[in-house]
Amino acid sequence: MSNKIVPVIMAGGKGTRLWPLSRAAAPKQFIQFVGDTTLFQSTLSRVSDKALYEAPIVITNEDFRFLVAEQARELGITLSGILLEPVARNTAPAVAAAAVFVAERFGDDAVMQVLASDHEITADPVYFAAIDSARDTARSGKLVTFGITPTEPATGYGYIEIGDTLGTGAHAVKRFVEKPALADAQTMLASGGFAWNSGIFMFPVKQLLTEMKNLAPEVEQAARAAVAKAAGDLDFIRLDAEAFNASPNISIDYAVMEKTSNAAVVPASFAWSDLGSWDAVWKLGKRDDAGNVATGNATLINTRNSLVMSRHGHLAVQGLEGVAVIASEDAVYVGRLDDSQNVGKLVKHLASANATASLTETHRTSYRPWGGYTSVLNGDRFQVKRLFVTPGKKLSLQKHHHRSEHWICVKGTAEVTIGDKVQTVRENESVYIPQGEVHRLANPGKIMLEMIEVQTGSYLGEDDIIRIVDEFGRG
């Protein structure tokens, strides 16, 4: 039996509570809020100690597969596998599929740690002491969750009532408590016998699958079938859609943890936040003497205890207190910090209106396995984009039925294929691709390639792409 922990990172969520920076197509786990890395990359870094951990497994969905692969590549971290969920089915089916995969890859005596990809955690000695305790407790056959020592009567988290000690730094779980009203949260905080439910787990794989078979048999059966019928696709493992879809849509808490008599909790006081609201981002950030957290181009005058973040343009905020002002490329959110738990309701309202629905789904900048593009200007029968291509990457060999394109190189060196001709395009040079002509763009250089693309034609949608050859397996 390996002494190493198998980390399983859940990276499929499409959270929108940090709108307008977080969108369905680029959710918060892949966004850089604090520090130099995204939340997902920070999670990868926490499980990068090869003496403690096996190479991580990531479970995500089709839309995020290249984001996962690219952000892991940027850190130089090798993954044991990227499992693709064919449909969102909450955490129990994902955890079950990962457990089956771990049992096949590492043996059913393995211990796996389940981590959310969008938590901000200080990985200090207190954190790793909790990891050691949880690992030892899991090896004794317990299903372990981590309980964070509360620092305030938060109503956005579930709670765990802590029971008798088990002798490994862990305790029995008395009960789980749903997100409470403020008065109940204050009572639990005062009692000292409760912890926040972190959503981080340590499971002995064999015992977890046995508990699932007994307590959530439909989930367990669907997971085994989905893994057994999974198909390889480049560096990804596609879980079988029909089998996975048959699983109930249920969380691991409801399916197993709240029902089992084998649950344990490791109380821990390391710094932790699920970054579920702008208020949480403000609490995490480095505040100035007036209590403000400001990033990007921002000027604050007579403003206190506020969060101001600009990813586009300059924000000037005057005479306000306790607000969040967040500017993305195409939208600005302004609201009270103490009301930021309700941003999700605003996003649902935007999504229901045809004129604003796209604001909840995508950014002007979209990421692709080869780099990405930013929409600069749209008009009648024309569109301007900024393309950026990672060194060594190439777009698909493709053609368009309804548009022609002009490419201008502004940074780096481009290799451009048009028909049967291949040419080099350098900075300040341009090239024209006629409508219907087969073409391809590649970056043979060592720095990021940036191109300005001007599209003209009767239809400019992204679905007017006929891919002839694509190294990323897209049709």
Side-chain angles (χ1 to χ4, degrees):
M1 178 181 70
S2 171
N3 287 326
K4 295 183 181 180
I5 301 165
V6 182
V8 174
I9 300 173
M10 313 287 282
K14 294 187 175 183
T16 54
R17 287 183 293 169
L18 295 182
W19 185 87
L21 296 190
S22 180
R23 310 280 176 97
K28 66 175 180 174
Q29 61 264 34
F30 302 115
I31 294 175
Q32 182 180 321
F33 288 101
V34 293
D36 298 325
T37 58
T38 67
L39 295 173
F40 171 65
Q41 288 176 318
S42 295
T43 306
L44 285 174
S45 296
R46 286 198 301 276
V47 296
S48 62
D49 183 349
K50 294 181 180 178
L52 181 61
Y53 287 106
E54 301 284 359
I57 295 164
V58 179
I59 184 159
T60 187
N61 64 50
E62 170 85 11
D63 295 339
F64 306 154
R65 67 193 191 280
F66 294 118
L67 276 171
V68 165
E70 179 62 20
Q71 292 198 0
R73 185 201 64 79
E74 287 177 358
L75 296 183
I77 290 178
T78 301
L79 302 177
S80 288
I82 301 174
L83 305 183
L84 301 182
E85 298 174 286
V87 66
R89 274 289 183 271
N90 215 311
T91 54
V95 170
V100 173
F101 182 79
V102 169
E104 291 184 357
R105 180 69 62 91
F106 298 97
D108 64 3
D109 59 352
V111 169
M112 70 184 223
Q113 182 183 355
V114 177
L115 309 94
S117 60
D118 56 359
H119 291 178
E120 180 64 29
I121 290 172
T122 300
D124 57 11
V126 174
Y127 171 79
F128 284 107
I131 295 295
D132 289 342
S133 175
R135 177 192 56 196
D136 295 343
T137 306
R139 283 184 180 145
S140 73
K142 296 292 185 180
L143 308 185
V144 185
T145 186
F146 290 74
I148 307 300
T149 303
T151 56
E152 60 179 320
T155 58
Y157 304 141
Y159 285 71
I160 300 168
E161 187 171 7
I162 299 169
D164 296 336
T165 182
L166 298 175
T168 55
H171 294 252
V173 172
K174 276 191 177 181
R175 64 183 173 115
F176 290 89
V177 182
E178 294 292 327
K179 294 177 181 178
L182 179 59
D184 294 331
Q186 290 170 334
T187 298
M188 287 187 288
L189 187 66
S191 77
F194 292 83
W196 288 335
N197 188 353
S198 69
I200 308 169
F201 303 95
M202 193 79 74
F203 293 132
V205 171
K206 184 176 182 179
Q207 284 86 345
L208 172 64
L209 290 172
T210 298
E211 292 276 13
M212 281 197 156
K213 187 174 182 179
N214 294 331
L215 300 174
E218 292 178 316
V219 175
E220 189 261 354
Q221 291 166 12
R224 289 193 182 278
V227 174
K229 299 176 182 178
D233 178 3
L234 298 176
D235 297 327
F236 312 109
I237 299 119
R238 293 181 180 274
L239 299 172
D240 181 74
E242 183 178 357
F244 196 81
N245 289 359
S247 178
N249 185 14
I250 188 170
S251 72
I252 189 68
D253 291 288
Y254 285 145
V256 175
M257 296 303 290
E258 294 186 9
K259 297 177 181 177
T260 181
S261 58
N262 214 19
V265 57
V266 172
S269 57
F270 56 83
W272 167 87
S273 173
D274 72 348
L275 286 188
S277 66
W278 288 120
D279 182 51
V281 175
W282 172 73
K283 290 175 182 176
L284 185 69
K286 184 177 180 180
R287 282 167 260 177
D288 63 18
D289 292 341
N292 298 312
V293 175
T295 64
N297 295 321
T299 299
L300 283 67
I301 297 176
N302 192 27
T303 295
R304 299 181 59 82
N305 300 325
S306 294
L307 174 67
V308 180
M309 301 179 72
S310 176
R311 299 294 170 89
H312 185 73
H314 195 106
L315 282 177
V317 181
Q318 180 174 347
L320 297 179
E321 182 168 358
V323 298
V325 184
I326 316 296
S328 69
E329 294 172 302
D330 58 352
V332 178
Y333 167 77
V334 181
R336 299 195 321 271
L337 278 174
D338 61 10
D339 191 41
S340 59
Q341 288 281 350
N342 293 315
V343 171
K345 295 178 181 178
L346 171 64
V347 172
K348 288 181 179 178
H349 177 76
L350 291 170
S352 67
N354 290 333
T356 54
S358 63
L359 289 176
T360 69
E361 295 295 318
T362 60
H363 288 281
R364 284 187 177 177
T365 297
S366 296
Y367 294 93
R368 294 293 185 266
W370 44 263
Y373 63 85
T374 300
S375 179
V376 178
L377 182 64
N378 289 278
D380 184 23
R381 296 180 62 90
F382 79 91
Q383 182 171 206
V384 181
K385 291 183 175 180
R386 167 186 165 264
L387 308 180
F388 50 97
V389 185
T390 305
K393 299 292 187 181
K394 62 180 70 173
L395 283 68
S396 60
L397 186 67
Q398 59 185 250
K399 64 180 180 180
H400 311 292
H401 287 313
H402 303 287
R403 71 177 187 248
S404 60
E405 296 175 338
H406 299 258
W407 289 343
I408 303 99
C409 182
V410 295
K411 181 181 178 182
T413 301
E415 181 183 272
V416 178
T417 301
I418 303 176
D420 58 2
K421 181 182 177 183
V422 179
Q423 64 187 93
T424 299
V425 180
R426 296 178 174 84
E427 292 180 9
N428 299 319
E429 296 178 349
S430 64
V431 66
Y432 171 68
I433 299 97
Q435 179 177 313
E437 184 66 87
V438 174
H439 61 281
R440 176 175 239 170
L441 176 64
N443 181 1
K446 301 296 185 183
I447 64 172
M448 185 72 77
L449 169 65
E450 294 189 25
M451 307 284 285
I452 297 299
E453 177 181 271
V454 181
Q455 303 174 359
T456 58
S458 59
Y459 180 74
L460 306 175
E462 282 299 302
D463 53 351
D464 182 26
I465 298 178
I466 309 302
R467 292 188 176 95
I468 299 163
V469 178
D470 182 59
E471 64 179 3
F472 303 110
R474 299 169 298 171

